[in-house]
Amino acid sequence: MTWLWAIIVGLVLGLIAKAIIPGKQQIPLWLTVIFGMLGSVLGNWAATGIGVADTRGIDWIRHLLQLAGAVLVVAIGDRLWMSMRGRKKQAT
């Protein structure tokens, strides 16, 4: 069940990140989910580092850090994806 939640959170965070980033991102949906999951892990790591990972009630700061991590990972991942796809098209 943990993997299912990780995939759902990755999908939601990845799609929100794509909506926040200006312009059109060219990454496929499966990569959006993976980047969202990585952003979630990055946000959890940052929340643990500043001591807000486990609080009473809803962990709003942790969730915002997860979203910020997803935006960062999706933005960087989209650029890498496009640079790899561009090189592949030039080779053929």
Side-chain angles (χ1 to χ4, degrees), residues 55-63:
T55 61
R56 289 190 158 161
I58 299 174
D59 299 330
W60 291 109
I61 297 172
R62 180 174 55 105
H63 295 317

Side-chain angles (χ1 to χ4, degrees), residues 10-47:
L11 174 65
V12 170
L13 284 175
L15 290 176
I16 293 172
K18 283 178 77 169
I20 290 173
I21 299 170
K24 183 171 181 354
Q25 290 75 43
Q26 303 295 323
I27 56 175
L29 185 61
W30 64 270
L31 205 50
T32 301
V33 172
I34 291 172
F35 288 162
M37 290 168 66
L38 290 173
S40 176
V41 169
L42 182 65
N44 282 336
W45 176 77

Side-chain angles (χ1 to χ4, degrees), residues 55-92:
T55 61
R56 289 190 158 161
I58 299 174
D59 299 330
W60 291 109
I61 297 172
R62 180 174 55 105
H63 295 317
L64 288 174
L65 288 170
Q66 288 174 336
L67 180 58
V71 168
L72 180 68
V73 173
V74 167
I76 292 170
D78 182 58
R79 288 185 180 238
L80 290 172
W81 176 260
M82 288 310 297
S83 68
M84 289 174 48
R85 298 293 288 184
R87 274 191 245 139
K88 193 180 283 187
K89 287 181 182 176
Q90 291 174 353
T92 55

